[in-house]
Amino acid sequence: MSTANGRGAGVAAPAPAAALAPAAALADLDISRAWLVDPASGREGPGEIVVTDGIIEAVTWLEGADSEGIDAGGVIVAPGFLDLHVHFREPGDEDAETVATGLAAAAHGGFTTVCVMPNTTPALDEPSVLARIHDAATASGSPVVLLALGAVSMGRTGEQLALLGELADAGVVGFSDDGAPVRSAALLRNALVYAGMLGLPIVDHPEDATLTEGSEANEGLVATVLGLRGWPGSAEATAVGRDIAILADVVRDAPAVRLHLTHLSTAASLALVRQAKRVGLPVTCDVTPHHLALTDAWVAGVRRWSWESIVSDGAAGDPWRDGSIVAPPFDPSLRVNPPLRAAEDAMACLAALVDGTADAIATDHAPHAAVDKAVEFGLAASGISGIETALGIVLAAVDAGRLTLSTAIAALTTGPARVLGARAARGSWPRGLVEGAPADLVVFDRSQRWTVNADALASKGKNSPLLGRSLPGRVILTVAGGRIAYEAPEA
Amino acid sequence: MNAAADPALFAPDDAADPNEPDRTLAANAAPAGRWTHQHLLDVDVLTTDDLDLIMQTTATMAQVLTRPIPKVPALRGWGVTILFYEASTRTRVSFEVAAKNLSADVVNIAAASSSVSKGESLIDTIRTVEALGARMLVLRHATSGAPYLAAEHFSGSVLNGGDGWHAHPTQALLDLYTLRTRLPGGIVAGRKVVILGDVMHSRVARSNLWSLTAAGADVWLCGPATLLRGFDAWAAAGVAGSRRFTVTSDLPAALRDADVVMALRIQRERMASGLLPSLREYAARFGLTRERMALARPDALVMHPGPMNEGVEIAPDVATGRQSVITEQVANGVAVRMAVLYLLAGARDSAATRESAATRESAGARDSAGARDSAGARDSAGRAAAE
């Protein structure tokens, strides 16, 4: 604490440097009569689960009279979620988030493993930055597992390969220049082959920057009416097309290559991935919760979920006609890259989860300091603080019948685990409700709603367009690696 | 109930002693009974009743402007700050003259660069301006939507003086007023109005699209296809989801039998960004020349929001010719801005109105003309009269 003399008085004792938080307590649970969802075994139904000293002692599936009165609308137990795409901003932008606050936010959202992106300052392009991040994770005391992607290029400038081999040895689970695409086709080609040799995927953020210079909002009716610079869907599809063409080219010589495309947001780019998977290319992709459920109409002041905007012929209604505008336009919390798209694109993202084109839901959790968002829409930092609202959004889609519960949970657990492959096998592998394994699970109650507000978010980034909104599925308990990562206060 | 027609407020000011205390807005008992908006951010939230009220009030202001001393005390003691983040002479001076004609205390701030490069955020600037006594803020900004951010942090009234490509409501209102005074019978409905040029980047085109379609005009947007991007989809949906307009690059089709042709400024940056091959080619294909105007009705009006590139989007002889109402637009701009400042001050004069208006504005109520005429507005009329 500062003294009355203030900082610099030279007498105040320094705070103990990097005090280690105490390790989280081992979980002891006896959950009877819940709805268990276990994508690893493909099983879902009424059951009981007992955890002793952090180890799953018993998983009992209930049948007949024992299962009566238990349904999927109440307490759910599922494996802990894995987020392929988060920004924890440390090192370099600790005003927006730190590893410790990011991990706390993850636990609050039901996530027990997260994968941080390398667009820190300095970039995660060599092992010492990774060591620093791991130290921060250890110091936080959080049992949530922090995985990291290394940069593809030095300083993420797209010119020279980062120290891929050294980063792999240090434990990164893939490479990405996220925030930007891998700039040149030639560099991507080399990176895919080299990372393939290391057994790791390249995670690309597909965007043709020549089509998005100055872009503010999805090119379409909303951007036209509001006078915002259009961000064409083709900027994503052309980049996805480029990446897939290169992948098809190199896979012949380097069969271990893997390409993961993150935060796909348009029907056209998902169609390209669908086609590429059909011909057997090693490509995977994820979609974000906000691209599933929010649309560009939110920028105009609409606050309906994407599926509520769809009128009879499968197209979105006109918000200026149907009276759905309920908030002021130009809310900077809605500025995000890629931009919120049309409702038809959101429907395509949902459909891609259903048919397996999309392998995972990843949050692209992008916290920002208030000062970077409390500005004009077009000048606001891009990104949504989303790791704590992901489950609620996804459950809203489940409630609306747009996803099954098992598809949704798989896209948060086994789906992203498959994307990372065996290299992600750290502590919590396999991701399932398996007797004898350390408990790695989330307990949430679909019958309980919670209201998103700044105080309710553990993240430093309060830049959520859902502030003030009530979401289904309050998280009751998150257990990571046998330890309690988050426990809801008594209701 | 017609605020604009109240004669007392607009008594000639030449008899007024600046020190005389009683000629305040309230004392003149001119409640803006039907006006409840706290801000003027865009034309899209204005109902046809709102537009009528503005037009009537503008007509009164235009009469004031014909007097030897075109000044009334309606806004005496009101701080009006004009904050421009973009270069502008015409609009800025027009607002300044309008506010001074209403006896407001005007402060002009020309912020040469964007708030971010200046190091101070727009919100900080807004708070500062308010702390320095501004009750009304006229904001010009290069970023679409900036006035909405300002409105959230300013307890007075924000007037959008042009934001990015989005809106320029007072320009649209002065254009509408010009048409009402110049078209036969003052009838805009059914008239063919062509907006010609760089539609995509034009806040003038967007705001006019709202107001002119609301007035029932047959609006045609015409220009090079690269500068019409996105507008076909809007035309298919219609303004407010129903009011149709036409988008075309076929200039003769657009001009044929037009009643009004409004040329837009073309900017050199459009060449740099690859949207146009050259200014010469633009002038050759889309420049508004005397020969092309011959396709329109003989008495068709020529308009331009200014500033003009004569010889590019409009030929000099058309700009200054018999059909041109371009200088009238400028003169009407003062009257319309006086009207808007006056109406906003009236709405602000009643706390009841202010609160209810704020609630409605923040809820973005767009089609609640009925609700706007309800209790809050009646209260304000009663209160203002009582004061």
Side-chain angles (χ1 to χ4, degrees):
Chain A
M1 301 307 294
S2 62
T3 65
N5 289 331
R7 215 180 296 170
V11 291
L20 288 185
L26 286 171
D28 282 301
L29 307 173
D30 185 352
I31 301 172
S32 57
R33 302 180 60 73
W35 187 266
L36 312 186
V37 182
D38 188 26
S41 65
R43 198 155 181 192
E44 173 183 17
E48 298 179 347
I49 187 163
V50 178
V51 174
T52 306
D53 288 338
I55 304 295
I56 298 179
E57 196 170 279
V59 177
T60 312
W61 298 91
L62 299 176
E63 284 168 5
D66 292 342
S67 67
E68 251 175 52
I70 306 175
D71 61 34
V75 174
I76 309 284
V77 181
F81 305 149
L82 193 172
D83 194 343
L84 289 173
H85 191 145
V86 304
H87 299 273
F88 284 174
R89 308 300 188 201
E90 184 176 353
D93 197 6
E94 289 85 351
D95 279 0
E97 192 80 292
T98 64
V99 167
T101 57
L103 291 173
H108 180 226
F111 291 84
T112 56
T113 308
V114 295
C115 192
V116 298
M117 281 292 174
N119 63 333
T120 48
T121 312
L124 205 176
D125 57 8
E126 49 95 10
S128 75
V129 181
L130 182 61
R132 180 171 168 180
I133 294 168
H134 277 150
D135 287 350
T138 306
S140 75
S142 171
V144 173
V145 175
L146 183 147
L147 305 175
L149 294 174
V152 171
S153 61
M154 290 305 289
R156 298 171 52 251
T157 56
E159 282 156 20
Q160 188 184 340
L161 284 181
L163 303 178
L164 304 190
E166 290 184 25
L167 285 165
D169 291 345
V172 300
V173 295
F175 304 99
S176 179
D177 274 353
D178 184 62
V182 175
R183 188 170 296 169
S184 78
L187 187 79
L188 176 68
R189 181 187 166 97
N190 291 332
L192 276 169
V193 172
Y194 202 93
M197 176 186 81
L198 300 168
L200 296 177
I202 295 292
V203 176
D204 201 27
H205 157 133
E207 176 185 351
D208 181 333
T210 65
L211 286 170
T212 61
E213 198 182 340
S215 292
E216 295 171 302
N218 180 47
E219 189 166 282
L221 179 65
V222 170
T224 300
V225 174
L226 295 182
L228 290 169
R229 285 151 215 262
W231 190 315
S234 59
E236 183 173 295
T238 54
V240 168
R242 176 197 82 162
D243 289 10
I244 288 174
I246 292 170
L247 179 69
D249 207 10
V250 301
V251 75
R252 288 193 294 268
D253 300 326
V257 298
R258 277 186 294 141
L259 171 68
H260 179 75
L261 297 163
T262 191
H263 54 51
L264 294 191
S265 64
T266 71
S269 53
L270 288 161
L272 289 170
V273 173
R274 185 171 292 120
Q275 174 63 19
K277 286 189 160 188
R278 196 170 293 148
V279 300
L281 290 176
V283 60
T284 52
C285 71
D286 66 64
V287 294
T288 74
H290 48 272
H291 288 111
L292 295 175
L294 276 55
T295 65
D296 59 355
W298 282 53
V299 181
V302 170
R303 289 295 179 270
R304 294 192 301 207
W305 299 128
S306 59
W307 48 87
E308 296 167 345
S309 301
I310 295 290
V311 291
S312 53
D313 56 354
D318 180 335
W320 284 275
R321 173 173 210 165
D322 59 22
S324 58
I325 293 175
V326 296
F330 302 105
D331 180 346
S333 75
L334 295 162
R335 182 156 160 77
V336 62
N337 176 357
L340 300 174
R341 302 290 190 182
E344 294 88 334
D345 288 314
M347 292 299 107
C349 291
L350 286 162
L353 283 170
V354 172
D355 76 4
T357 300
D359 302 85
I361 295 169
T363 68
D364 193 3
H365 175 67
H368 286 291
V371 65
D372 293 319
K373 277 293 197 181
V375 295
E376 301 85 329
F377 186 87
L379 303 176
S382 283
I384 289 174
S385 177
I387 201 167
E388 293 167 86
T389 54
L391 175 63
I393 291 178
V394 170
L395 289 176
V398 173
D399 288 348
R402 299 288 168 171
L403 288 177
T404 63
L405 182 63
S406 60
T407 301
I409 300 297
L412 289 162
T413 55
T414 48
R418 267 199 309 276
V419 169
L420 291 180
R423 278 299 290 264
R426 297 169 149 239
S428 54
W429 196 267
R431 311 190 72 78
L433 304 176
V434 179
E435 288 179 3
D440 199 87
L441 52 82
V442 55
V443 182
F444 58 93
D445 187 345
R446 286 182 69 190
S447 71
Q448 283 191 45
R449 299 183 72 89
W450 64 288
T451 300
V452 184
N453 58 51
D455 291 338
L457 297 179
S459 170
K460 279 186 160 184
K462 311 302 182 189
N463 50 305
S464 168
L466 300 173
L467 291 182
R469 195 172 179 114
S470 147
L471 292 178
R474 183 165 174 263
V475 172
I476 308 298
L477 183 69
T478 305
V479 179
R483 293 180 184 274
I484 294 175
Y486 171 80
E487 192 169 11
E490 293 294 323
Chain B
M1 214 33 212
N2 181 359
D6 188 312
L9 175 65
F10 302 106
D13 195 52
D14 43 5
D17 176 351
N19 298 316
E20 198 175 286
D22 65 342
R23 296 175 68 92
T24 63
L25 189 68
N28 280 284
R34 287 150 48 199
W35 182 266
T36 57
H37 299 279
Q38 184 186 352
H39 308 290
L40 180 67
L41 305 179
D42 193 359
V43 192
D44 63 350
V45 293
L46 300 180
T47 63
T48 47
D49 283 351
D50 290 330
L51 290 171
D52 285 342
L53 180 58
I54 295 169
M55 293 299 114
Q56 289 160 13
T57 312
T58 302
T60 311
M61 296 300 177
Q63 282 167 22
V64 169
L65 290 176
T66 62
R67 294 172 190 162
I69 299 176
K71 199 157 175 138
V72 289
L75 261 64
R76 181 176 293 161
W78 282 68
V80 175
T81 292
I82 300 175
L83 175 60
F84 271 43
Y85 285 89
E86 269 189 342
S88 158
T89 306
R90 181 178 314 245
T91 304
R92 185 179 56 74
V93 171
S94 180
F95 268 112
E96 181 169 353
V97 170
K100 285 180 169 168
N101 287 347
L102 295 170
S103 306
D105 298 325
V106 181
V107 173
N108 246 302
I109 304 174
S113 55
S114 83
S115 58
V116 164
S117 62
K118 206 165 56 119
E120 184 180 43
S121 75
L122 178 63
I123 294 174
D124 281 346
T125 305
I126 300 301
R127 289 191 185 124
T128 304
V129 161
E130 178 161 358
L132 290 170
R135 295 173 73 185
M136 291 196 174
L137 174 69
V138 182
L139 180 67
R140 160 71 61 95
H141 201 290
T143 306
S144 297
Y148 293 81
L149 182 71
E152 231 175 277
H153 296 272
F154 188 69
S155 68
S157 293
V158 175
L159 281 84
N160 184 356
D163 64 321
W165 305 352
H166 171 238
H168 195 348
T170 57
Q171 178 71 42
L173 293 169
L174 75 88
D175 288 339
L176 183 62
Y177 183 76
T178 303
L179 293 181
R180 287 217 187 178
T181 52
R182 287 303 300 263
L183 286 173
I187 295 167
V188 177
R191 298 294 177 176
K192 182 175 182 181
V193 181
V194 181
I195 301 178
L196 170 62
D198 185 0
V199 171
M200 177 167 109
H201 300 94
S202 177
R203 53 195 172 215
V204 175
R206 283 182 178 78
S207 284
N208 265 301
L209 202 44
W210 283 100
S211 53
L212 292 175
T213 57
D218 173 24
V219 179
W220 288 57
L221 304 181
C222 180
T226 45
L227 299 179
L228 293 171
R229 190 185 295 159
F231 280 82
D232 276 308
W234 194 358
V239 176
S242 61
R243 308 198 300 254
R244 301 290 159 188
F245 62 94
T246 306
V247 179
T248 182
S249 291
D250 182 345
L251 183 58
L255 291 180
R256 194 160 295 124
D257 297 328
D259 295 287
V260 179
V261 183
M262 183 187 299
L264 300 173
R265 179 177 172 79
I266 194 87
Q267 290 180 330
R268 291 186 177 279
E269 301 96 87
R270 308 303 168 230
M271 266 57 70
S273 49
L275 290 165
L276 287 177
S278 74
L279 277 189
R280 192 181 59 194
E281 182 164 325
Y282 179 83
R285 286 177 178 257
F286 292 97
L288 189 60
T289 60
R290 182 159 294 285
E291 296 71 43
R292 288 183 173 138
M293 271 308 290
L295 291 169
R297 290 187 184 279
D299 52 351
L301 303 175
V302 172
M303 304 175 82
H304 193 297
M308 289 185 281
N309 295 304
E310 291 186 39
V312 183
E313 72 264 11
I314 189 166
D317 57 342
V318 176
T320 57
R322 170 185 65 84
Q323 291 162 279
S324 169
V325 294
I326 294 170
T327 50
E328 261 174 71
Q329 288 176 272
V330 176
N332 290 338
V334 174
V336 121
R337 289 175 178 117
M338 287 170 72
V340 168
L341 286 164
Y342 167 70
L343 289 170
L344 289 170
R348 294 256 305 130
D349 203 44
S350 152
T353 306
R354 181 160 65 244
E355 280 167 24
S356 57
T359 309
R360 279 195 298 276
E361 299 259 347
S362 68
R366 271 153 204 274
D367 51 0
S368 55
R372 283 182 186 134
D373 280 329
S374 66
R378 278 196 300 277
D379 268 357
S380 84
R383 270 176 53 94
E387 281 167 10

